[in-house]
Amino acid sequence: MAGERITTRLTEPGLAEWLEGRTDRMMTGSLDIQARLELGMWRGALTAELRRIRLTVDQANCLADVMNGSILDAALGGSAPIVFYNAADAFQLARDTPFPGESSYGEKWGIDEKELLEYLQRLGPTADHALHDAISRWWNTRAEPTVEGWATVGLAVAPSPNPGSKDGE
């Protein structure tokens, strides 16, 4: 697919004008070139945000468990971070409707749910989307639930500080 040409119509109100304005200010002289640059910048922003995320392997595995291969969508969480709300809902549901013999996510993964939710709530929309994308790619590639496995999708996680961790370290 490398080198494939992509054609699209800019039907979203104001999008064509926005792209033309950026083309003028960046002096690229071409909407095609500008669109390619914008796509590259978006990819770079996701990569940069993902590098800034700080999780332990058990926290990442817990989030993967919560997200369970969820479908990635084109929405940015904004004031409603997608990964945060998925985790908050799952944690609450596990506490409110426990099945016999089932533990909470915190117990299952040896993490502090409140601490993780506070961290996730502070992520900006781009970081939230980058994390959601990494979790989605982790599921798609069937990577291992280890420090090395998460690294294959660009998420650098720390070994778990908990004894008896599920991270295989």
Side-chain angles (χ1 to χ4, degrees):
M1 177 145 179
E4 291 289 321
R5 184 168 188 85
I6 298 172
T7 304
T8 188
R9 290 197 189 284
L10 303 179
T11 58
E12 182 181 323
L15 187 57
E17 293 81 10
W18 174 83
L19 189 61
E20 288 169 0
R22 294 205 27 112
T23 300
D24 292 344
R25 289 190 309 279
M26 292 177 76
M27 295 185 276
T28 58
S30 163
L31 292 178
D32 291 338
I33 291 170
Q34 189 64 38
R36 187 175 69 242
L37 290 174
E38 297 292 341
L39 188 57
M41 286 189 292
W42 174 242
R43 183 179 182 202
L46 290 173
T47 299
E49 287 296 331
L50 196 57
R51 278 195 300 251
R52 297 178 60 203
I53 293 175
R54 297 292 177 249
L55 297 171
T56 66
V57 70
D58 286 340
Q59 289 172 325
N61 290 337
C62 176
L63 292 174
D65 192 6
V66 164
M67 301 298 284
N68 199 13
S70 68
I71 295 175
L72 192 63
D73 57 29
L76 287 180
S79 62
I82 294 165
V83 177
F84 165 78
Y85 277 109
N86 274 276
D89 285 349
F91 294 170
Q92 188 66 47
L93 186 61
R95 282 192 300 275
D96 289 349
T97 58
F99 290 105
E102 248 185 58
S103 62
S104 70
Y105 284 95
E107 290 171 7
K108 179 179 180 180
W109 291 104
I111 63 156
D112 182 326
E113 291 178 1
K114 183 179 180 210
E115 177 185 309
L116 179 56
L117 289 176
E118 287 172 357
Y119 179 78
L120 294 172
Q121 196 168 27
R122 291 190 306 267
L123 294 179
T126 304
D128 176 70
H129 189 79
L131 180 56
H132 190 186
D133 179 60
I135 293 168
S136 175
R137 288 183 289 117
W138 182 86
W139 275 104
N140 283 348
T141 61
R142 296 185 170 106
E144 293 294 319
T146 61
V147 170
E148 297 78 14
W150 284 104
T152 66
V153 296
L155 181 62
V157 295
S160 176
N162 302 321
S165 165
K166 318 273 187 290
D167 68 3
E169 295 289 309

